[in-house]
Amino acid sequence: MAGTAGKTEAVGGTGAVARALARIERLDPRLCAFVEVWGEEALERARTVDRQLPLSGVPFGVKGPTGIRSYAAERLIAAGAIPVGSTAVPGPGTYWQTWGQGRYGRTVNPYRADRTPGGSSAGSAVAVAAGMVPLATGSDGAGSVRIPAAWCGVFGLKTTNGLLPSPDRTGLASAGVLARSAAQAAAYLRCVLDSDETPGPAPGPAPVPAVFSPDLGFAGPDPEVVAVVRAAVERLVAAGIVQLVRTQRPFTLLDPREAWLAIRGGAPPGDTGTPALAVRAENDRRLDALFARTPLLLTPVTPNRPHGHEGPGERYSTALTWAFNLSGHPAASIPAGFTADGCPVGLQLVADRGAELSLVDIALAAERG
């Protein structure tokens, strides 16, 4: 990672916070992951935090200038975690393709500075990937957690829509987390859900039956991205973590682009009278049928690799993610590998509504395997 990779321990305390702040001071002028850093406040919190709390003294980043007021941040603080700063997002007046503006300038991918880290949870992904913090909050309305997780080589999770409070009136966005490991994401979920129980259906014992789709029938992905993801799926199969289900026909969805744009533009979420929103209803039907018989869907996170800061061109980076913002299903990105030019690629795991902890369990098994 061009000298920026590093391990930030998940064990909390004043020392962990001080190390996180030192790493931010050293790396952030180049990576621009943070908008603000709350050094003195974070150290004071670390000195006084209750040592019996489950995340006592664990440093974390919050997405954007208002992230400290999010439900997830409040729950993490209640569990003893220490917010050290707000992470970069596209700001007012910035062209969306910059994906993030930190204190020192445009947020860059820690693997390749000439490429975007993805967004909009850009700074959160970079801060985690570079070892500045072990976890950071995010939100995902079209892929805004999963895409930067994939392009920065970290774990990212979008929770089931409506499971956690969200200010998004369209219902498309849901809370998420970016983390160095699935274990740290599991700790996040236990705290924000305030429960040790799985909130929804579990996938059952390994190997977990799964369907793999390289394109969902419409995305036109980069062949090298598909090859990296397919190899990651084959490793999961070889490790006994998943078992691919052979189907007579490939699993496909209708391209959700127009439906997502219609909902974002203000169309009533339950209205299926227009062709665009009829696509949403049909995709819901297909996904419900899939998860009634198979607990896991696997796809690439994006059809493309991290692009330059000038933007992606004609290919939508969200092509394989925003269907699940429309349907509400939880989805995760786990590192799949790298393209030949050194760009990280993510494997997307999608499960039934309410089954986010099962996705974390599968990711944990993948990390151990």
Side-chain angles (χ1 to χ4, degrees):
M1 196 183 295
T4 62
K7 295 182 179 179
T8 300
E9 60 183 278
V11 177
T14 306
V17 171
R19 287 188 290 274
L21 292 170
R23 194 163 178 85
I24 292 169
E25 183 177 5
R26 179 161 60 88
L27 298 178
D28 201 45
R30 181 157 54 93
L31 297 176
C32 304
F34 282 88
V35 177
E36 296 179 343
V37 177
W38 310 315
E40 291 303 317
E41 182 180 351
L43 289 170
E44 179 59 27
R45 283 179 182 266
R47 283 190 287 267
T48 60
V49 69
D50 183 350
R51 301 299 176 196
Q52 302 304 310
L53 293 172
L55 292 182
S56 179
V58 175
F60 74 99
V62 296
K63 178 183 178 179
T66 62
I68 193 65
R69 299 196 295 272
S70 68
Y71 177 82
E74 291 175 355
R75 295 302 306 155
L76 290 171
I77 292 169
I82 309 296
V84 298
S86 61
T87 59
V89 294
T94 60
Y95 195 45
W96 69 269
Q97 289 156 333
T98 65
W99 287 120
Q101 291 287 340
R103 294 180 296 167
Y104 304 105
R106 182 170 59 194
T107 310
V108 302
N109 191 302
Y111 283 89
R112 287 192 51 166
D114 64 329
R115 305 294 175 93
T116 175
S120 61
S121 304
S124 287
V126 172
V128 170
M132 300 182 200
V133 288
L135 61 87
T137 64
S139 57
D140 190 314
S144 292
V145 165
R146 289 161 287 162
I147 292 170
W151 287 356
C152 292
V154 299
F155 178 85
L157 173 70
K158 177 195 92 69
T159 57
T160 300
N161 292 41
L163 179 67
L164 297 169
S166 169
D168 180 22
R169 295 181 180 180
T170 69
L172 293 172
S174 57
V177 63
L178 297 108
R180 290 284 289 175
S181 72
Q184 289 156 341
Y188 161 94
L189 275 178
R190 284 193 295 270
C191 292
V192 298
L193 298 177
D194 197 23
S195 173
D196 290 329
E197 300 299 322
T198 302
V208 178
V211 166
F212 173 60
S213 175
D215 58 6
L216 291 178
F218 60 83
D222 178 334
E224 188 176 2
V225 168
V226 172
V228 172
V229 170
R230 194 182 297 274
V233 171
E234 290 172 355
R235 290 194 296 272
L236 294 180
V237 171
I241 298 167
V242 303
Q243 178 181 4
L244 290 183
V245 175
R246 306 299 177 186
T247 58
Q248 288 185 334
R249 298 177 182 176
F251 178 74
T252 63
L253 294 176
L254 302 177
D255 187 343
R257 176 182 180 274
E258 295 303 322
W260 189 95
L261 292 173
I263 295 293
R264 180 57 75 189
D271 181 8
T272 58
T274 63
L277 297 183
V279 166
R280 183 187 202 181
E282 174 60 18
N283 281 350
D284 282 352
R285 185 193 68 77
R286 295 186 188 188
L287 287 165
D288 288 344
L290 172 70
F291 290 123
R293 62 181 186 270
T294 308
L296 185 64
L297 172 63
L298 305 173
T299 79
V301 174
T302 64
N304 51 346
R305 68 193 75 197
H307 53 73
H309 295 283
E310 72 282 357
E314 296 300 317
R315 179 175 279 162
Y316 274 76
S317 305
T318 54
L320 293 164
T321 53
W322 50 8
F324 309 111
N325 297 90
L326 284 164
S327 69
H329 290 87
S333 173
I334 66 173
F338 295 83
T339 56
D341 58 352
C343 292
V345 174
L347 166 62
Q348 181 170 225
L349 318 176
V350 188
D352 204 359
R353 298 178 188 91
E356 36 274 291
L357 285 181
S358 71
L359 295 179
V360 174
D361 286 342
I362 295 166
L364 279 168
E367 289 175 358
R368 294 167 183 159

